[in-house]
Amino acid sequence: MLYQANSGQAAYLLFDVLQAQEQLRELPSFAELDKSTLVQVLEEAAKFASDKIAPLNASGDAVGAQLQGGQVTMPPGFAAAYQEFWQAGWPALSVAPEDGGQGLPEVFNQIMYEWLSAANHGWTMAPGLLHGAYECIKHHASSELKAQYLEKVGSGQWLATMCLTEAHAGSDLGQVRTSAKPHLDGSYLVSGTKIFISGGEHDLTENIVHLVLARLPDAPPGPKGLSLFLVPKFYPDGTRSRVVCERIEEKMGIHASPTCVLRFDEARAHIVGEPGKGLGAMFVMMNAARLHVALQGTGLLDAALQKASAYAQERRQMRAPPRVHIPVHGNNIQEQKNHSNMPTAGVFINKFATDLIVNHPTVQRTLETQTAYLQGLRVLAYQTALELDVAKLHPSADRRAQAASWCALATPVLKALCTDQGFRGISECLQVFGGHGYVREWGVEQHLRDARIAMIYEGTNEIQAIDLLIRKTLPDGGAALAAVFQRISTETPAVAAEADAVMSLARELASRSQAAPDLPYWVAQDFLKACGLVLLHWALQRLKQAKGDADQTDLLVHYQRWIAPELAAALQIIRTQCAAAQDLQPA
Ligand SMILES: Cc1cc2nc3c(=O)[nH]c(=O)nc-3n(C[C@H](O)[C@H](O)[C@H](O)COP(=O)(O)OP(=O)(O)OC[C@H]3O[C@@H](n4cnc5c(N)ncnc54)[C@H](O)[C@@H]3O)c2cc1C
């Protein structure tokens, strides 16, 4: 069963639940956008992901990217699909019109990439970094570099890489040793070895543009000594640069994405931005890039959930227990119940009869829980994507600042929660298949393998939690987070009590950390999860408001039954650790 992107559902979440059109109308660049055109864009993007990219997923996984003599060959069909993708203008969806793009809001780009990742994570890794590279060149490169590279990268004619990681420098990029020394005409020579570089070499495009973090000779140690350089595979005069793909990794998932060891051997380079400001230049696109990874989590969860839901409505095993105390929620499942031979008065009379496994409470609970997570996280991610544009383009400085603060706090939460839940949820979906999920036939084991990396790259989920609590919440006494919680509590008072409980623990952590500075580090992930579940609750309340109170709002019921207790557990862990630290005196 192939993944199907659902454009109708995305349009519903955007336009009916989030009132995206009203939000975008406040931004002069998007004031004239017409809803029917936007819906059509979603429909075409969904078709492309489902019809052109999803069919290459299983074969791409089986064949994988192949390295021979320094050249990487991508799996069959990948290059042709990529040609079609860039020629149709998809990579330039939210590139500015003056750079040859279509100038649509970021949220459409994010939704398209969610669908592409769900359809084929391996293929989508190649264009996944393009938009970030475009933004980085646009905001930091000299006009000469822009003239040579901006449109080609923005349009997707050339693909791009981000070369940060080295063997000894992963989360801690301050350890990067790759060097850059001044050369002729203001250029530099870059030398060093980068590892784990996605799409470092391939045959999808005629050129590849590498953005490389390196250290100038007189640079101070640590992150402040890093500068950013651009090294293409081929220079504009057609000569090849001294960049060699030494190896591609054999790995758990995303087999179709070449994860390269790249050696830079005095490769001629151009600086992007100012010396010593390399990390800052890369972080320009960090919120958008992390949101993109978050949506890899929801996309792959959707792909697995589609398969599990369909399987659960075909597979029959044993009798399901009679439902006496707990009502059945969910229209699909209600229908299934009516069609099944669910025992009621004549329980177990026919001992050889079987029920669809969707009628077994444990299977139904899995599907309900993952559906609530998926839909709620999507609403939250799409709102955050809208806020990215508000932060850049809103005429009011106050509204821009409010949106920037929302993005700064919601992005690490989404990156970690969507990818953790993506992996956990896919594993639950695999369980619905029993042994049939563990074998290749249904493709769900591939989703599980492919999804695992999203918890690691673009800043591990542990680093996201530290970012949220230690860098962004404790230093201002929780003021920025309190403002976000105030906003969602005003919109939906039902989340106010949970938000208050989290804020009160934030204050307690701030106070206890005076004597126990390591305390927040022990519980940062629980804190991120608690914040994420409050935001998820808000998102599900928004869905309920859109449907109207009279409607049976199952997702919210699933949240209360199966997810809210996880929030209580996260809060209890933090409380217990705070209590353990209460007798410590400030050093
Ligand atoms: C398939 C794949 C594709 C990738 N693509 C790219 C790419 O295109 N470009 C690129 O530059 N890199 C890429 N990476 C690298 C990726 O970003 C790093 O693997 C990641 O940042 C983690 O670094 P590390 O592997 O060295 O782990 P480490 O940093 O060594 O971390 C090991 C463990 O320690 C934890 N840890 C580390 N520091 C802290 C801390 N301060 N507090 C708490 N916990 C901590 C981590 O969370 C992790 O659990 C890719 C990696 C893979 C596997």
Side-chain angles (χ1 to χ4, degrees):
M1 176 188 171
L2 286 180
Y3 164 77
Q4 289 292 320
N6 188 338
S7 61
Q9 193 176 54
Y12 173 72
L13 296 184
L14 271 182
F15 298 115
D16 296 314
V17 177
L18 293 171
Q19 273 100 42
Q21 223 187 356
E22 287 71 9
Q23 296 196 51
L24 291 169
R25 212 172 276 139
E26 291 178 20
L27 312 180
S29 336
F30 302 136
E32 303 299 321
L33 285 178
D34 161 51
K35 181 176 162 190
S36 61
T37 313
L38 296 173
V39 168
Q40 217 180 338
V41 168
L42 289 173
E43 283 167 1
E44 291 303 316
K47 253 194 246 162
F48 188 83
S50 310
D51 299 348
K52 306 279 173 161
I53 304 304
L56 302 173
N57 192 36
S59 57
D61 179 57
V63 177
Q66 309 282 344
L67 174 70
Q68 213 169 28
Q71 311 278 337
V72 170
T73 308
M74 296 294 271
F78 272 44
Y82 187 76
Q83 284 300 308
E84 206 174 320
F85 181 65
W86 88 261
Q87 280 173 0
W90 289 116
L93 205 57
S94 58
V95 163
E98 64 269 22
D99 302 324
Q102 300 177 45
L104 289 188
E106 175 65 23
V107 69
F108 292 90
N109 196 43
Q110 293 282 353
I111 293 174
M112 175 184 73
Y113 274 105
E114 179 189 359
W115 292 339
L116 291 170
S117 301
N120 188 333
H121 191 183
W123 183 90
T124 307
M125 287 293 290
L129 290 170
L130 256 184
H131 197 75
Y134 156 78
E135 293 275 352
C136 191
I137 295 170
K138 183 175 174 78
H139 294 289
H140 297 284
S142 65
S143 41
E144 202 185 341
L145 268 191
K146 277 193 219 169
Q148 286 168 340
Y149 295 98
L150 189 64
E151 259 196 64
K152 297 261 202 297
V153 170
S155 69
Q157 184 177 348
W158 295 348
L159 280 166
T161 70
M162 297 284 172
C163 302
L164 286 64
T165 308
E166 297 177 8
H168 47 276
S171 303
D172 185 2
L173 290 172
Q175 307 279 347
V176 159
R177 287 186 203 143
T178 295
S179 67
K181 63 179 184 199
H183 184 53
L184 306 170
D185 312 327
S187 68
Y188 295 82
L189 296 178
V190 167
S191 300
T193 299
K194 295 285 180 182
I195 66 164
F196 294 161
I197 305 308
S198 300
E201 172 59 32
H202 55 72
D203 58 1
L204 297 180
T205 49
E206 63 197 6
N207 204 358
I208 304 173
V209 177
H210 304 292
L211 292 170
V212 190
L213 274 187
R215 206 174 278 287
L216 286 164
D218 52 354
K224 292 196 174 136
L226 293 173
S227 307
L228 187 62
F229 296 88
L230 184 153
V231 185
K233 179 173 168 184
F234 292 105
Y235 297 107
D237 66 5
T239 53
R240 185 157 184 164
S241 65
R242 293 167 68 99
V243 183
V244 180
C245 177
E246 290 192 322
R247 196 175 80 217
I248 61 175
E249 305 293 347
E250 292 197 2
K251 52 196 192 297
M252 175 177 177
I254 53 170
H255 292 156
S257 170
T259 307
C260 304
V261 175
L262 286 188
R263 195 182 75 236
F264 295 79
D265 232 348
E266 298 212 312
R268 188 152 52 82
H270 292 281
I271 195 161
V272 178
E274 290 173 39
K277 300 270 171 71
L279 269 186
M282 285 233 148
F283 286 146
V284 159
M285 69 282 173
M286 212 41 113
N287 279 338
R290 288 189 171 158
L291 191 56
H292 167 76
V293 174
L295 286 167
Q296 292 173 354
T298 52
L300 287 165
L301 175 57
D302 185 15
L305 192 52
Q306 287 185 11
K307 292 185 167 91
S309 305
Y311 187 80
Q313 310 215 19
E314 284 172 10
R315 176 78 169 168
R316 289 182 171 276
Q317 290 290 292
M318 294 207 261
R319 302 304 308 259
R323 298 293 166 82
V324 181
H325 300 298
I326 304 177
V328 177
H329 297 284
N331 293 336
N332 285 344
I333 291 168
Q334 186 81 51
E335 245 170 55
Q336 279 303 328
K337 185 186 138 189
N338 295 341
H339 289 304
S340 82
N341 45 6
M342 172 88 71
T344 47
V347 183
F348 302 125
I349 287 175
N350 178 358
K351 64 180 178 179
F352 299 114
T354 54
D355 279 313
L356 292 169
I357 59 170
V358 74
N359 288 314
H360 289 284
T362 176
V363 172
Q364 190 178 331
R365 173 178 161 177
T366 294
L367 299 177
E368 288 178 353
T369 308
Q370 301 318 319
T371 307
Y373 264 117
L374 176 64
Q375 295 299 57
L377 288 173
R378 271 188 175 145
V379 169
L380 183 57
Y382 296 175
Q383 179 59 36
T384 304
L386 287 164
E387 300 281 340
L388 281 172
D389 277 328
V390 173
K392 267 199 290 191
L393 302 168
H394 202 283
S396 147
D398 282 352
R399 183 67 187 93
R400 285 202 303 277
Q402 187 201 35
S405 179
W406 174 288
C407 294
L409 293 161
T411 304
V413 170
L414 278 163
K415 195 279 176 182
L417 192 61
C418 294
T419 60
D420 278 347
Q421 192 54 39
F423 185 73
R424 275 171 48 187
I426 296 166
S427 181
E428 296 282 306
C429 290
L430 186 150
Q431 191 73 13
V432 168
F433 287 81
H436 300 273
Y438 192 73
V439 299
R440 283 210 162 179
E441 184 187 354
W442 290 87
V444 72
E445 60 83 39
Q446 185 192 344
H447 296 320
L448 188 70
R449 288 185 286 106
D450 286 354
R452 186 62 181 84
I453 183 58
M455 297 158 73
I456 297 171
Y457 58 22
E458 206 63 61
T460 64
N461 286 359
E462 291 78 11
I463 298 290
Q464 304 303 317
I466 288 174
D467 183 42
L468 175 74
L469 178 60
I470 288 121
R471 295 196 197 121
K472 293 177 176 162
T473 301
L474 298 183
D476 72 357
L481 186 62
V484 167
F485 280 166
Q486 179 64 45
R487 176 176 159 189
I488 62 169
S489 302
T490 307
E491 276 176 27
T492 51
V495 304
E498 291 170 357
D500 285 350
V502 175
M503 280 319 299
S504 121
L505 282 177
R507 284 188 291 274
E508 190 167 350
L509 281 170
S511 125
R512 299 252 178 266
S513 64
Q514 306 288 322
D518 60 337
L519 170 63
Y521 291 85
W522 289 104
V523 295
Q525 285 177 282
D526 306 289
F527 187 80
L528 181 145
K529 185 165 181 181
C531 291
L533 295 185
V534 173
L535 289 164
L536 179 78
H537 187 189
W538 163 81
L540 293 171
Q541 289 282 353
R542 288 293 299 262
L543 269 162
K544 176 184 165 184
Q545 284 160 10
K547 281 181 162 182
D549 281 356
D551 205 339
Q552 170 73 287
T553 45
D554 303 312
L555 295 181
L556 206 49
V557 177
H558 305 335
Y559 173 86
Q560 298 296 2
R561 285 171 82 186
W562 313 124
I563 302 176
E566 289 195 50
L567 169 59
L571 295 175
Q572 188 54 38
I573 291 171
I574 303 172
R575 252 181 233 122
T576 310
Q577 294 307 308
C578 284
Q582 73 184 350
D583 294 331
L584 296 173
Q585 296 304 315

